[in-house]
Amino acid sequence: MKFLHVSDLHIGKVVNDFSMLEDQRFILEQIGGMARANQVDAVVIAGDVYDRAIPSGEAVTLLDQFLTELSSQKIQVLLVSGNHDSPERLSFGKQLFGRQGVHIAGVQEEKLMTVEFREPMPGSLRKEIITQFVLLPFLKPAQVNASSSGEAVEKILAGYWEQEKKSGRKNKNRVLVTHFFVTDSGREPELSDSETTIHVGGLDQVECSILAGFDYVALGHIHKPQQIGEHPVWYAGSPLKYSFGETAQEKCALLVNLGERGLKEVRPLPLRPMREMRKIRGSLAKLLEAGQEDRGRLDYIQADLTDKGELIDPMGILRNVYPHVMQMVRTGNQDTGEQGFEVSERQHLAEKRDVLALFADFYQEVKGETLTKQGKGMIESIVKELEGQEGNRI
């Protein structure tokens, strides 16, 4: 059988105050077209369907349209919740939807949801190839009295394998669909800066060996598509770029082909967004000039300005040419690569230091120059004046 593996749709996501709904509608239509063109039996969505636990009405409507279109084409859907989803909300109507071929595992129940596909074996009228999908939604370890995600997944899958042993049916393909941070002997997958996962002492890690026995593992959670080691374990990645740390990534949907003896092929199918997310660099004047001829001027842009002097409303000026500028970075004339001060967000928290030292660092980042002795004196006077005013209020 053939199926399309996608994940991390994050429907309803807002990036730097820009709603991604229009872009998501475009890419979901593209995924639906791929599913039809390749005559797949199913589309697998491995978690983070929505970007928020309480999605907007527009986000819910968009998912409804996507699932309805797939169902009308007789393409089944297998969907699990991710860490961004509300399991209960995502599970709404799952029994009703299941009758239409949309299988939703939002809430982890005592027994894992399984869905089987059967097709005649080539050259035989009696024998069948059975492919069983096992749906394991994201959950916190405490929900199953475990101390880590690895222990939780191992515990749940042990119950599944025990049931399979009792059933006595061995000759079938098994596909696990889940949404966890999977590592290979401690080696982590490649992350991007839009992923907010915090790894504390390995508590959220699931070792790849725990997933042994499945012919294919369809993962969500990581935004870059990648295989875990040499195992049949794949992250599909997000279908769109959601941060400027992802600009070099090639987004795709994974076309998975299973045969009589398990996995035959995993083929990435490139996804082309409505608007690219990219970086440009130069002086404000040069970027304005280049933008007049830039065919991609409607892209989402991070502008790295090399001007040293003070600029008045550079974001507003640049948006006359690039209307979807998301971020402005100032690196002056120094060749500092990805470093610099971002107007829309800071990449790190400042250490707890005195106000003068913090302002000196800020001045260095923005102007590319060291704060002079005279400048330090002025800042000290201002700080003392403000502290005095604060003391009078107390």
Coordinates of all heavy atoms in Angstrom, one line a residue, residues 140-141 147-150 181 183 188 191 196-206 221:
K140 N 1.9 13.1 28.4 CA 2.9 13.4 29.4 C 3.1 12.1 30.2 O 2.2 11.3 30.4 CB 2.4 14.4 30.4 CG 2.2 15.8 29.8 CD 3.5 16.4 29.4 CE 3.3 17.9 28.9 NZ 4.6 18.5 28.4
P141 N 4.4 11.8 30.6 CA 4.7 10.5 31.3 C 3.8 10.2 32.5 O 3.4 9.1 32.7 CB 6.1 10.7 31.7 CG 6.7 11.7 30.7 CD 5.6 12.6 30.4
S147 N 8.1 7.9 34.6 CA 9.0 9.0 35.0 C 9.6 9.7 33.8 O 10.2 10.8 33.9 CB 10.1 8.5 35.9 OG 10.8 7.5 35.3
S148 N 9.5 9.2 32.6 CA 10.0 9.8 31.4 C 9.2 9.4 30.2 O 8.4 8.4 30.2 CB 11.5 9.3 31.2 OG 11.5 8.0 30.9
S149 N 9.4 10.1 29.1 CA 8.6 9.8 27.8 C 9.0 8.4 27.3 O 8.2 7.6 26.8 CB 8.9 10.9 26.8 OG 8.3 12.1 27.2
G150 N 10.3 8.1 27.4 CA 10.8 6.8 27.0 C 10.1 5.7 27.7 O 9.7 4.7 27.1
F181 N 9.9 13.0 20.8 CA 11.3 13.4 20.5 C 12.2 12.1 20.5 O 12.6 11.6 21.6 CB 11.8 14.4 21.5 CG 13.2 14.9 21.2 CD1 13.4 15.8 20.2 CD2 14.3 14.6 22.0 CE1 14.6 16.4 19.9 CE2 15.5 15.1 21.7 CZ 15.7 16.0 20.7
T183 N 15.4 9.7 19.7 CA 16.8 9.8 19.5 C 17.4 8.4 19.1 O 16.7 7.4 19.3 CB 17.5 10.3 20.8 OG1 17.1 9.4 21.9 CG2 17.1 11.7 21.1
E188 N 20.6 13.2 18.9 CA 19.3 13.9 18.7 C 19.1 14.3 17.3 O 20.1 14.5 16.5 CB 19.3 15.2 19.6 CG 19.4 15.0 21.1 CD 19.2 16.2 21.9 OE1 19.1 17.3 21.2 OE2 19.2 16.2 23.1
L191 N 17.4 20.1 15.0 CA 16.3 21.0 15.4 C 16.4 22.4 14.7 O 17.5 22.7 14.2 CB 16.3 21.3 16.9 CG 16.2 20.1 17.8 CD1 16.3 20.5 19.3 CD2 15.0 19.3 17.6
T196 N 10.1 24.7 20.2 CA 10.2 25.2 21.6 C 10.5 24.0 22.6 O 10.3 24.2 23.8 CB 8.9 25.9 22.0 OG1 7.8 25.1 21.8 CG2 8.7 27.2 21.1
T197 N 10.8 22.9 22.0 CA 11.0 21.7 22.9 C 12.2 22.0 23.9 O 13.2 22.5 23.4 CB 11.3 20.5 22.1 OG1 10.2 20.3 21.2 CG2 11.4 19.2 23.0
I198 N 12.0 21.7 25.1 CA 13.1 21.9 26.1 C 13.5 20.5 26.6 O 12.6 19.8 27.1 CB 12.7 22.8 27.3 CG1 12.3 24.2 26.8 CG2 13.8 22.9 28.3 CD1 11.7 25.1 27.8
H199 N 14.7 20.1 26.5 CA 15.1 18.8 26.8 C 15.9 18.8 28.2 O 16.9 19.4 28.3 CB 16.1 18.2 25.7 CG 15.5 18.4 24.4 ND1 14.3 17.8 24.0 CD2 15.9 19.1 23.3 CE1 14.1 18.2 22.7 NE2 15.0 19.0 22.3
V200 N 15.2 18.2 29.2 CA 15.8 18.3 30.5 C 16.2 16.9 30.9 O 15.4 16.1 31.2 CB 14.8 18.9 31.5 CG1 15.4 19.0 32.9 CG2 14.3 20.2 31.0
G201 N 17.5 16.7 31.0 CA 18.0 15.4 31.5 C 17.5 14.2 30.7 O 17.5 13.1 31.2
G202 N 17.1 14.4 29.4 CA 16.7 13.3 28.6 C 15.3 12.7 29.0 O 14.9 11.7 28.5
L203 N 14.5 13.5 29.8 CA 13.2 13.0 30.3 C 12.2 12.9 29.1 O 11.3 12.1 29.2 CB 12.7 13.9 31.4 CG 13.5 13.8 32.7 CD1 12.8 14.8 33.7 CD2 13.6 12.4 33.3
D204 N 12.4 13.7 28.1 CA 11.4 13.7 27.0 C 11.9 12.9 25.8 O 11.3 12.8 24.8 CB 11.1 15.1 26.6 CG 12.4 15.9 26.1 OD1 13.5 15.4 26.5 OD2 12.2 16.9 25.5
Q205 N 13.1 12.2 25.9 CA 13.6 11.5 24.8 C 13.1 10.0 24.8 O 12.9 9.4 25.8 CB 15.2 11.4 24.9 CG 15.8 12.8 24.8 CD 17.3 12.7 24.8 OE1 17.9 11.6 24.7 NE2 18.0 13.8 24.9
V206 N 12.8 9.6 23.6 CA 12.4 8.2 23.4 C 13.5 7.5 22.5 O 13.7 8.0 21.3 CB 11.0 8.1 22.7 CG1 10.6 6.7 22.4 CG2 10.0 8.8 23.5
H221 N 6.9 16.2 15.3 CA 7.5 17.0 16.4 C 8.7 17.8 16.0 O 8.9 18.9 16.6 CB 7.9 16.0 17.5 CG 8.1 16.7 18.9 ND1 7.3 17.7 19.3 CD2 9.0 16.4 19.9 CE1 7.7 18.0 20.6 NE2 8.7 17.3 20.9

